[in-house]
Amino acid sequence: LYRNKIDATVKLLSTVTHVTRPDGGFCLWLPTPIDDQEFTRELYARYNVTVLPGSFLSRKAHGTNPGQNHVRIALVATAEECIEAAQRMCDFIRSL
């Protein structure tokens, strides 16, 4: 089930940004064209999709936060919901 969800969402999201299939797990890491926290707030406010800012999942090391300007997408909902969310994210990224 996760393989199908990952394949479908990567196919959609790759039309608007660089995203790759993870080697393992059920999360995608998506680079954001704006600050990851702002991206997360606006995506939720405008498209009712929740993701987690990458900067919340790491800390500064050598002056940078490796999660900054990325969001983590957990593909734990149904395949249909994941695909719908990916379509909304594509619309949001195109609007930026």
Side-chain angles (χ1 to χ4, degrees):
L1 293 174
Y2 281 118
R3 187 179 312 122
N4 292 337
K5 288 191 269 189
I6 289 169
D7 290 344
T9 54
V10 166
K11 182 178 178 180
L12 284 168
L13 292 168
S14 66
T15 66
V16 294
T17 190
H18 176 74
V19 63
T20 57
R21 191 176 200 289
D23 291 333
F26 54 87
C27 294
L28 297 177
W29 283 90
L30 186 74
T32 59
I34 58 176
D35 175 75
D36 58 312
Q37 292 180 42
E38 181 182 352
F39 183 93
T40 300
R41 281 191 304 272
E42 288 299 312
L43 177 63
Y44 179 69
R46 293 169 48 185
Y47 289 89
N48 200 32
V49 174
T50 56
V51 295
L52 188 62
S55 60
F56 286 11
L57 295 168
S58 56
R59 61 182 175 192
K60 277 192 175 181
H62 310 288
T64 63
N65 182 326
Q68 187 173 10
N69 296 328
H70 289 79
V71 292
R72 187 189 75 174
I73 303 167
L75 301 173
V76 295
T78 67
E80 294 79 18
E81 291 170 319
C82 289
I83 291 167
E84 174 66 26
Q87 290 170 333
R88 291 180 190 190
M89 284 186 267
C90 288
D91 292 342
F92 175 60
I93 292 169
R94 284 186 188 108
S95 76
L96 294 175

